[in-house]
Amino acid sequence: MEKTRRGLAGVDIAIGDIVGRKSYNKDIYFKVVELFERDKVPYAILRGLDIRLVSDAPVDDLEKISPAEVAEYWRKVMKSSGELVKRCFERREAEHIRSLNRTDVKTFDVPGRVLHIDGDGDYLDLCITTYKQLGVPADGYHIPEERQPKEVVLLLQKHRPDLLVLTGHDALVKGASDFRDMKNYRSSAYFVEAVRAARQWEKNRDDLVIFAGACQSYYEAILEAGANFASSPERVLIHAFDPVFIVEKVAYTPVSKAVALKSVIESTITGYPGIGGLDTQGKYRMGAPKSAY
């Protein structure tokens, strides 16, 4: 298999192009990240534009998406994300009022802090922007999935976060039928190894809350390795922002309460088919009154 990051002679698809697969009616938009030849047939490695999926496809099966279509696609994605952000703030305001039973006392928030390690730099930028919108303190690093197990502990020691996100891209190998065979997943083994390394550093699931996985990831193995939340129970595709809305809920659930699993999973874009987890304590502390200085 001959790979190239520049292009292939006679091929009208280039690295960085946004494309859809004709055989799938262009149901998902992808970015072309690599081109190669397999048995002299041009192929492309694809990464979902907002879905955490990595795939490959013959170049002949790809169709370029126009800039106008891409812009409209992102408009719809950001509108959906914006609605979820709005719900987060409405939920927090209601919780503040209930906890104090009054509205005339100014409070301040001390939410849990996040370390987000992502195999996709574009997704990481989107997630960090969303954390800022949500008021969740976060440190982010773009690290390929295969390097995450080796680098996660050093970053944990540096930042000492309350919550850890390990994500990027994953997929079931085409034609795979044994969902319990790790060899049938592109990146799940790396997520499992990274979670195990993090758990060696901090064994308590309430002291360090971990979300790990991407599209179609080996859900059961990731949870068994020590994650609190993982994808993907039904081996479906998950959205780029799903990890953000999971950890936001944990970061803003009071330390005296367990996160309501139903509520936290339903706060994501994908929901139950794509995200699952375990009972977990919240990481939020509210202070009052807020200082005027």
Side-chain angles (χ1 to χ4, degrees), residues 158-175:
K158 178 179 179 180
H159 295 284
R160 306 191 69 82
D162 301 296
L163 303 102
L164 171 66
V165 175
L166 297 162
T167 190
H169 292 275
D170 203 353
L172 274 166
V173 175
K174 190 173 182 179

Side-chain angles (χ1 to χ4, degrees), residues 115 152-161 201:
L115 170 61
V152 62
V153 172
L154 288 175
L155 292 173
L156 287 170
Q157 292 171 340
K158 178 179 179 180
H159 295 284
R160 306 191 69 82
W201 184 77

Side-chain angles (χ1 to χ4, degrees), residues 187-229:
S187 300
S188 289
Y190 303 127
F191 295 135
V192 167
E193 290 175 29
V195 170
R196 284 177 180 159
R199 277 288 164 246
Q200 288 179 351
W201 184 77
E202 175 50 71
K203 293 179 173 58
N204 191 307
R205 292 193 200 226
D206 287 324
D207 287 341
L208 178 65
V209 176
I210 302 176
F211 172 96
C215 283
Q216 299 182 320
S217 290
Y218 193 163
Y219 169 73
E220 299 84 2
I222 294 172
L223 285 183
E224 185 177 345
N228 299 67
F229 301 93

Side-chain angles (χ1 to χ4, degrees), residues 8 10 12 14 32 34-35 57 61 75 84 122 147 153 167 182 192 210 218 222 225 237 239 263 291-292:
L8 294 173
D12 190 34
V32 177
E34 194 172 278
L35 293 167
D61 189 37
R75 187 192 68 78
L84 288 175
D122 292 338
R147 283 173 37 207
V153 172
T167 190
M182 188 67 77
V192 167
I210 302 176
Y218 193 163
I222 294 172
L237 310 182
H239 196 274
S263 174
S291 173

